[in-house]
Amino acid sequence: MKNFALIGAAGYIAPRHMKAIKELGHNLSIGYDTNDSVGIIDSISPDSEFFTEFERFQEHAYRLKRNPSTALDYVAVCSPNYLHHSHIAAGLRMGCDVICEKPLVPTPELLDELANVEKETGQRVYNILQLRHHEAILKLKEKVANENRSEKYQVDLTYITSRGKWYMESWKGDPRKSFGVATNIGVHFFDMLHFIFGKLEKNVLHYANDYKACGYLEYEKAKVPWFLSIDANDLPDEVKGKQTTFRNISCEGDQIEFSAGFTDLHTISYQEILAGRGYGIEDARHCVETVHHIRTAQPESPAENEAHAFLKKLI
């Protein structure tokens, strides 16, 4: 049985980490968050310690190290994006391996810095890249590999997930903390595209503001116009008033359907990490480089056949 600490215990994604730890028979020893709305712990791990100050959390973790049976083995990081680097480094220096949500860090340079801390401490960082474990994604990856065709696949990525006014008041709406829409809601999909279609060869931004972004990605095996938005006004007319989210990811016109099967992906990710098969810094590098380029690029006019269909609504 391994002992875990959880940083960001009040966050949206934290319960999936708590559930994974419990279902795999391990112990959530400590939770930490500046927000104390963590009642979910009562139904998953009621005996866990909890702190709202990092100093008290860290001091308690150091005391646990005195006894091999209580010493922490892993720190899970579910804090806001801009704090990932600091919390990962702190976990490594506490003598723990670290499991962190996406995006691992905002820039390739910070990936290199984490690699240095890994060397200094002898510990490892693992990134939750859960779509790589989804059955539909694995089947498509296998299909693409087996077909081995010379012509690139035509892929369309459209993801609109409506967010209320609260979003812009939270850290997610602050590009200094979330690193913007393309990073905050797009990094999952960009990693998935790389996982299936190989190395990125072209990355062009066509439009971006605080609420939406679109562009064009070209991989070894695919051409991908993409559109991401948190603005309900971007929902297609046929779904407005009926649903708040619209997701269309298609390959050669065939829908990639992975709406089901999400609930257990964190548990599978933990299982793989604990078995020594987790995704580390170099596995995360590709999607970090992708979103870093998008975030720092200047929008360009699209080349022929590279514009997403929704772009014409924006310009």
Side-chain angles (χ1 to χ4, degrees):
M1 186 179 71
K2 302 296 184 181
N3 293 314
F4 285 79
L6 178 59
I7 295 176
Y12 164 78
I13 205 66
R16 295 190 191 180
H17 288 256
M18 296 179 195
K19 177 173 174 281
I21 293 166
K22 180 180 179 179
E23 288 185 346
L24 294 174
H26 300 290
N27 174 46
L28 178 58
S29 179
I30 324 171
Y32 158 71
D33 203 298
T34 55
N35 189 323
D36 60 9
S37 298
V38 290
I40 187 69
I41 292 179
D42 289 343
S43 62
I44 299 175
S45 183
D47 293 328
S48 300
E49 298 289 342
F50 176 74
F51 299 96
T52 56
E53 295 90 14
F54 190 81
E55 295 82 358
R56 293 179 62 217
F57 159 79
Q58 196 170 46
E59 177 58 26
H60 185 75
Y62 283 132
R63 289 203 303 270
L64 293 177
K65 288 181 70 174
R66 295 171 182 162
N67 186 334
S69 67
T70 61
L72 294 175
D73 300 291
Y74 289 89
V75 172
V77 175
C78 303
S79 52
N81 297 350
Y82 74 108
L83 293 172
H84 284 182
H85 175 260
S86 297
H87 287 155
I88 292 168
L92 294 173
R93 291 181 174 123
M94 287 161 57
C96 302
D97 287 346
V98 177
I99 301 170
C100 185
E101 277 292 335
K102 298 176 296 299
L104 198 61
V105 287
T107 68
E109 290 75 19
L110 284 178
L111 283 179
D112 295 338
E113 177 59 26
L114 286 182
N116 287 333
V117 182
E118 278 190 332
K119 291 176 184 176
E120 292 166 359
T121 61
Q123 306 300 138
R124 287 289 311 278
V125 180
Y126 298 100
N127 201 191
I128 295 288
L129 301 174
Q130 73 268 36
L131 287 182
R132 296 191 182 200
H133 300 299
H134 196 290
E135 185 177 355
I137 303 305
L138 292 171
K139 284 182 178 179
L140 180 59
K141 179 179 173 64
E142 183 180 11
K143 176 186 175 183
V144 169
N146 290 339
E147 288 182 349
N148 196 30
R149 63 187 235 178
S150 56
E151 185 179 353
K152 294 188 179 187
Y153 293 87
Q154 188 64 43
V155 178
D156 180 274
L157 167 59
T158 307
Y159 183 54
I160 303 165
T161 177
S162 306
R163 294 291 185 261
K165 295 178 181 178
W166 68 268
Y167 188 94
M168 299 308 293
E169 292 297 321
S170 75
W171 65 266
K172 295 182 179 183
D174 185 343
R176 298 169 302 173
K177 296 181 178 181
S178 69
F179 310 117
V181 167
T183 299
N184 196 44
I185 70 172
V187 68
H188 311 71
F189 300 113
F190 299 143
D191 176 72
M192 177 195 74
L193 291 168
H194 159 60
F195 182 62
I196 298 171
F197 298 110
K199 186 178 179 181
L200 183 63
E201 297 178 342
K202 187 174 183 180
N203 185 349
V204 183
L205 178 68
H206 295 150
Y207 183 91
N209 65 20
D210 290 342
Y211 301 90
K212 64 199 77 177
C214 66
Y216 175 79
L217 298 166
E218 188 165 326
Y219 295 86
E220 289 176 273
K221 299 181 179 181
K223 299 178 178 181
V224 190
W226 58 270
F227 179 85
L228 303 167
S229 174
I230 59 166
D231 185 353
N233 293 316
D234 291 322
L235 291 168
D237 291 338
E238 62 267 24
V239 303
K240 281 183 179 177
K242 300 176 184 176
Q243 60 192 59
T244 59
T245 297
F246 176 79
R247 176 172 56 207
N248 180 71
I249 305 174
S250 62
C251 180
E252 295 294 320
D254 294 328
Q255 184 80 16
I256 304 171
E257 181 51 58
F258 55 96
S259 297
F262 266 95
T263 55
D264 296 325
L265 293 183
H266 275 73
T267 300
I268 295 170
S269 297
Y270 267 68
Q271 197 169 32
E272 291 296 295
I273 290 167
L274 290 162
R277 298 186 294 266
Y279 292 115
I281 287 174
E282 291 311 310
D283 298 295
R285 187 174 294 277
H286 197 283
C287 62
V288 169
E289 290 176 343
T290 300
V291 295
H292 176 64
H293 177 86
I294 291 170
R295 195 168 57 250
T296 56
Q298 291 297 316
E300 302 177 21
S301 297
E304 186 177 359
N305 299 321
E306 293 185 0
H308 191 279
F310 285 24
L311 178 62
K312 61 185 178 182
K313 300 179 182 180
L314 308 177
I315 56 178

